[in-house]
Amino acid sequence: MKEKYFMETAFSNNPISEKLKTYSLACIYLIVNSLFIIKYGEQYNIPLLAGYLVVFLGLGFFYLKIHLKEFFYKTAFFLGIFFFFLFSVYLNYKVDGNTLNVDRWSAMEVGIKAVFNGQYPYHIPDHMGRESSNLPVLIVFGMPFYLLFGSVGYLQSFSFLLFAYLIFKIFSDYRQRLAVLVLLFLSPSYLWEIYVKSDLFSNFIIIVGSVYLIWEKFIKEKKINSAVLSFLSALILLTRLSAVIPLTVLLFKKFVDFSIKEKLRFTAVFLVTVIAICYIFFQNAPDFNVFLKHNPFAIQGAKQPLILSISYIVAGCILSFKVKSFYETLLWSGVLLFICVFVPFAMFFAEYGYENMIVNSYFDISFFNMSMPFVMTALILSIFKNNIKV
């Protein structure tokens, strides 16, 4: 089965338009990683950034120009997975989370302990004195790693294995599979996530996996009915509110095409799932006022003006009628997720300036990682489909 996704993908007949998409994805990748180098490179950030760009562009040039035997790419792919998995496990074991100025791991751990102790998980401070903004299903994803290994940081190691599996399934060529893996290893934004035990990148690897599952089993093979689809969609949304963007791009047109009966079934299952899961997590709130002031929906929803959030969802609805392939779903989901972070970043930057935004951390640039699993996968699909030359 040769180039299975490329053969079925409905690309535009305009090669300029398709190359523009490819270069846009590459720019997003470089912008996000450049921000991490500028922020964490300290006094060496400019030389590091220049070196990074040279290495990235040089390696990309030779990767596209030189064709080696399939055995080389296959061996490098599996060795890369094996050694990076061990490296991530070792790093999680050696790095003491309490010494970090990042509290995503701590917020998840606090939430898990609270649930097991029958407490309300959203007004207990983590190791940095902040409250958790993790939605219920994301906390559930962290539970096995806390129970088995005593640290939610290992979620990152096993989500890496999930991403490697997705790469294997999406691509049929080891040269392309290895290319995605190289993008991952060359991404300071991802390496930072591994080091600080952050769950954001892992969260969106899971979302990419869910999008792939729905595309394969519901849209292509039609083996998933609307009730199961609704249940899965509710679970995905309850990992992070911004998951609504890829869900909308993927499913809004399908929902519109449903019969009245299917629409009602989808809506009913979705609401019952959300209400049931939220009840389990919110039932121990001391009172309604505590719930109103301390809940993850309020924290996540306050990241930018409501009108902007609504505009991204509307854009996702419009794009849902345009996408004709899994590639395009990844492409537009990644671009929209990037835009929904870049717009408030630009607004804050204009108001507070470089020193406050980058040095004093007025804005959490790690939110850009929401788009990266989509961007990396779509970029390699796009490069090899369009035979981009350098």
Side-chain angles (χ1 to χ4, degrees):
M1 184 170 56
K2 185 179 179 181
E3 306 296 320
K4 59 178 180 177
Y5 277 102
F6 302 153
M7 294 296 290
E8 72 184 19
T9 300
F11 279 82
S12 164
N13 291 325
N14 184 348
I16 296 177
S17 173
E18 292 310 317
K19 288 189 176 183
L20 181 60
K21 292 175 183 177
T22 304
Y23 294 136
S24 297
L25 289 167
C27 284
I28 290 173
Y29 176 89
L30 289 175
I31 288 169
V32 172
N33 286 304
S34 295
L35 281 173
F36 274 80
I37 292 172
I38 290 170
K39 179 172 177 60
Y40 295 105
E42 297 180 348
Q43 68 266 32
Y44 304 107
N45 55 8
I46 300 304
L48 285 173
L49 178 59
Y52 174 78
L53 293 176
V54 169
V55 169
F56 177 83
L57 295 174
L59 186 60
F61 176 86
F62 286 108
Y63 199 95
L64 294 176
K65 284 290 187 182
I66 299 174
H67 294 258
L68 302 174
K69 291 184 178 180
E70 182 81 350
F71 177 76
F72 170 81
Y73 296 113
K74 182 177 181 179
T75 302
F77 178 73
F78 285 110
L79 286 177
I81 292 171
F82 177 74
F83 284 111
F84 189 84
F85 174 74
L86 292 182
F87 168 73
S88 68
V89 170
Y90 172 78
L91 200 60
N92 186 75
Y93 174 76
K94 290 297 291 183
V95 175
D96 181 0
N98 290 296
T99 65
L100 299 171
N101 197 31
V102 178
D103 64 346
R104 281 212 174 93
W105 70 271
S106 180
M108 178 180 282
E109 208 162 278
V110 163
I112 293 171
K113 291 177 181 178
V115 171
F116 287 151
N117 293 328
Q119 299 173 301
Y120 184 60
Y122 295 110
H123 70 151
I124 303 174
D126 59 29
H127 85 286
M128 291 182 65
R130 301 169 183 164
E131 296 170 351
S132 174
S133 64
N134 291 322
L135 293 186
V137 174
L138 186 58
I139 292 178
V140 172
F141 281 134
M143 286 179 177
F145 304 99
Y146 176 74
L147 293 174
L148 291 173
F149 308 114
S151 171
V152 296
Y154 293 103
L155 169 63
Q156 281 58 261
S157 301
F158 286 88
S159 66
F160 164 71
L161 293 182
L162 171 61
F163 196 48
Y165 173 75
L166 290 172
I167 294 169
F168 182 84
K169 295 293 291 184
I170 292 168
F171 298 88
S172 58
D173 183 312
Y174 276 103
R175 184 167 177 251
Q176 296 158 25
R177 290 168 177 162
L178 180 62
V180 185
L181 213 58
V182 170
L183 282 184
L184 195 67
F185 296 161
L186 286 178
S187 173
S189 70
Y190 177 64
L191 298 177
W192 177 87
E193 289 254 340
I194 294 292
Y195 182 80
V196 301
K197 311 174 193 284
S198 172
D199 54 65
L200 190 60
F201 202 106
S202 299
N203 189 169
F204 280 82
I205 287 175
I206 293 169
I207 293 173
V208 168
S210 302
V211 169
Y212 173 76
L213 174 66
I214 292 171
W215 181 269
E216 281 289 297
K217 300 302 181 183
F218 175 74
I219 296 176
K220 280 183 60 182
E221 301 177 12
K222 305 194 183 302
K223 291 182 178 179
I224 295 178
N225 61 34
S226 58
V228 175
L229 178 65
S230 177
F231 177 72
L232 289 174
S233 300
L235 293 182
I236 297 166
L237 185 62
L238 286 177
T239 62
R240 189 166 294 274
L241 288 180
S242 49
V244 70
I245 290 176
L247 284 175
T248 302
V249 172
L250 178 67
L251 293 175
F252 183 72
K253 182 181 183 299
K254 300 299 178 185
F255 180 81
V256 171
D257 292 340
F258 281 165
S259 66
I260 297 297
K261 183 178 179 180
E262 286 177 318
K263 283 186 175 74
L264 291 174
R265 184 189 299 123
F266 184 96
T267 304
V269 172
F270 186 90
L271 291 175
V272 168
T273 303
V274 170
I275 291 170
I277 293 174
C278 288
Y279 174 77
I280 294 171
F281 277 76
F282 299 146
Q283 63 174 319
N284 292 315
D287 55 59
F288 189 64
N289 286 330
V290 170
F291 167 75
L292 287 178
K293 293 179 181 178
H294 308 275
N295 70 81
F297 302 110
I299 297 173
Q300 290 193 22
K303 300 298 182 184
Q304 59 186 307
L306 179 61
I307 186 64
L308 286 178
S309 299
I310 293 173
S311 69
Y312 306 137
I313 297 173
V314 172
C317 292
I318 295 171
L319 287 168
S320 184
F321 288 91
K322 304 292 185 181
V323 297
K324 298 292 190 293
S325 66
F326 178 64
Y327 157 74
E328 289 181 338
T329 303
L330 293 177
L331 166 70
W332 293 117
S333 296
V335 169
L336 267 181
L337 285 167
F338 172 77
I339 290 173
C340 83
V341 180
F342 184 78
V343 170
F345 174 81
M347 292 168 58
F348 274 67
F349 198 95
E351 182 174 355
Y352 297 109
Y354 174 87
E355 186 74 16
N356 285 323
M357 287 289 288
I358 302 300
V359 179
N360 297 328
S361 301
Y362 275 32
F363 190 92
D364 187 353
I365 64 170
S366 69
F367 285 118
F368 282 107
N369 275 329
M370 296 191 299
S371 66
M372 292 300 273
F374 289 92
V375 168
M376 291 180 190
T377 311
L379 176 57
I380 299 304
L381 283 170
S382 185
I383 286 174
F384 285 94
K385 169 62 180 77
N386 291 303
N387 297 313
I388 298 297
K389 304 296 183 183
V390 293

